[in-house]
Amino acid sequence: MSSDAKDRPDHGDDHAGHGHAGDDHAGHDHGALGHSHAPASFGKAFAIGTALNVAFVAVEATYGLIAGSMALLADAGHNLSDVLGLLIAWGAATLAKRRPKGRYTYGLRSSSILAALLNALLLLVAIVLIAAEAIRRFSEPAPVAGVTVMIVAAVGILINGLTAMLFMSGRKGDLNIRGAFLHMAADAAVSAGVVIAGLVIVLTGWSWVDPVVSLLIVVVIAIGTWGLLRDSVIMSLHAAPADLDPKVLTAFLAGQPGVNAVHDLHVWPLSTTETALTAHLVMPAGYPGDQFTADLAATLKEQFGIHHSTVQIETDPNADCVLKPDDVV
């Protein structure tokens, strides 16, 4: 059985005991992706970013139609997907704060991983739609109001850049926040490209530059999306975080006083900011007491950024644990 971080007494079997080595439900000092931040601290950022982008999408789409610019309409469509992405990330950050209840014994922390994955898929949809329309424009060129394109896109640089800055501090510690940041940073870069396209059209009259820039926008979005999609899929599959080598963790646990062997070790992301670990420790001298698991929890959190660790103590080295083989989960 297990206890929470306040160290409820453990209850042993004939040869086994369980110690819940640690759990941290609120703020975190270190995360599997780096220094992490509580989702609550970004609630205001989500609200401001969403409001700014909703307003800009309406303006950009309107002027895109007026100017006949596929680049502006493409950027507006991408911005709309970003609004949805911000709402998804915001909702996940809110759900992640809910305490464990009923069937959700870990709470809804994993919703932040699902949000990151959904955001990546949303970006892929935007890529396909923008590319299809840009290609169509090559065969059906239309006049473009270059000056209007430049002005509206310049406003986009300001709004998207400001929104990206709101999420800059959390992008390294939370994949969900990173998704929001990438959306906004990519938009700022895309808007800069649209400004350049508008300038070229004004100077040369080359309307084909507009769909070309749209395709460049697709490339920019795709590059940013790939990393987000890859990382969110990996986290969804409960793979060990990239900076936590299970072999290193096994060696660390095996080196603890009184530990003869380690098996059935698992380490996986509970959310985009939290990591969990479980392991069986063989300790022939007997269960060392609650202080052992408490100290182990503190060390695992401090050295490896593992917030929720649970260990099972087995005192008979000759007993065959059914979970000992590496191919058994």
Side-chain angles (χ1 to χ4, degrees), residues 63-281:
Y63 279 96
L65 292 171
I66 293 174
S69 171
M70 183 57 219
L72 272 184
L73 290 175
D75 196 29
H78 182 213
N79 273 304
L80 179 59
S81 74
D82 285 346
V83 171
L84 297 177
L86 283 175
L87 292 174
I88 291 170
W90 190 2
T94 301
L95 289 175
K97 293 185 294 182
R98 297 184 63 175
R99 298 185 66 81
K101 183 179 180 181
R103 295 171 60 193
Y104 301 97
T105 56
Y106 278 126
L108 297 176
R109 286 168 165 75
S110 293
S111 60
S112 58
I113 299 175
L114 294 177
L117 178 59
L118 186 55
N119 265 326
L121 295 176
L122 197 60
L123 282 167
L124 290 178
V125 172
I127 287 173
V128 173
L129 294 178
I130 294 172
E133 183 59 23
I135 291 172
R136 187 188 69 80
R137 277 296 181 99
F138 280 112
S139 60
E140 301 176 21
V144 178
V147 175
T148 301
V149 170
M150 291 173 61
I151 294 173
V152 176
V155 175
I157 296 175
L158 179 63
I159 290 178
N160 291 315
L162 176 61
T163 306
M165 289 177 64
L166 295 174
F167 298 103
M168 184 176 294
S169 64
R171 72 189 189 283
K172 294 183 179 179
D174 186 339
L175 189 65
N176 192 32
I177 300 298
R178 175 182 158 196
F181 172 79
L182 285 177
H183 272 286
M184 297 299 108
D187 273 356
V190 165
S191 295
V194 175
V195 169
I196 295 173
L199 178 60
V200 173
I201 291 171
V202 168
L203 295 177
T204 66
W206 296 341
S207 59
W208 55 264
V209 170
D210 189 71
V212 167
V213 169
S214 297
L215 292 178
L216 291 176
I217 289 174
V218 167
V219 173
V220 171
I221 299 172
I223 292 173
T225 300
W226 170 247
L228 181 64
L229 178 63
R230 179 197 60 216
D231 291 346
S232 58
V233 168
I234 288 174
M235 294 186 91
S236 299
L237 294 175
H238 287 172
D243 58 350
L244 288 180
D245 187 342
K247 292 182 180 179
V248 172
L249 288 169
T250 298
F252 167 77
L253 292 173
Q256 298 304 300
V259 177
N260 184 51
V262 178
H263 59 266
D264 195 41
L265 182 142
H266 300 278
V267 56
W268 72 99
L270 282 176
S271 70
T272 52
T273 60
E274 299 168 291
T275 304
L277 174 146
T278 61
H280 290 199
L281 309 183

